[in-house]
Amino acid sequence: MKMFERTANLLNNQIINYCYDPSEKWLVLIGIAPGAPERPQLVKGNMQLFSVYQQRSQALEAHAAAFATFKVAGNENPSTLICFASKTMNAGQIISKLHVIELGAQPGHCLFQKQQMMRVLACWKYLASA
């Protein structure tokens, strides 16, 4: 079953991953494409994040992604997080980043905070080893 149309950033990409969060409200598609001619060994990663509820996509640069849930203190229900890794070039240097973003945050609820990152990284390592 086709859930969404690919965004332009995934045209001519080799699709390497597709996954969804436990509630099946968020979907992510990951593709890779050849890098710039001056650094062909640095593969370009592209990601499409899709909200089933909003029927909208967001195109991002990423080489890998996974979903997680995290219970923020003070909230009744766990938050849905997307974790994705990106690798870019800046002034000739390769910059790698791990992003952890809360999806669908509800007004009036406590938000996922950066100081909670270490707990999420432990979950990420656990999920990656499973």
Side-chain angles (χ1 to χ4, degrees), residues 46-87:
N46 294 300
M47 173 177 117
Q48 179 178 355
L49 177 63
F50 180 77
S51 167
V52 174
Y53 177 73
Q54 296 177 4
Q55 291 292 298
R56 287 189 6 208
S57 288
Q58 182 174 0
L60 300 162
E61 287 188 25
H63 289 81
F67 292 99
T69 55
F70 184 80
K71 180 82 167 68
V72 177
N75 287 349
E76 185 176 322
N77 297 314
S79 297
T80 300
L81 306 177
I82 186 162
C83 310
F84 61 96
S86 65
K87 191 179 284 190

Side-chain angles (χ1 to χ4, degrees), residues 20-27 50-54:
Y20 49 87
D21 76 305
S23 68
E24 298 182 9
K25 294 180 183 176
W26 296 94
L27 314 172
F50 180 77
S51 167
V52 174
Y53 177 73
Q54 296 177 4

Side-chain angles (χ1 to χ4, degrees), residues 4 10-11 67 130:
F4 53 86
L10 285 168
L11 296 177
F67 292 99

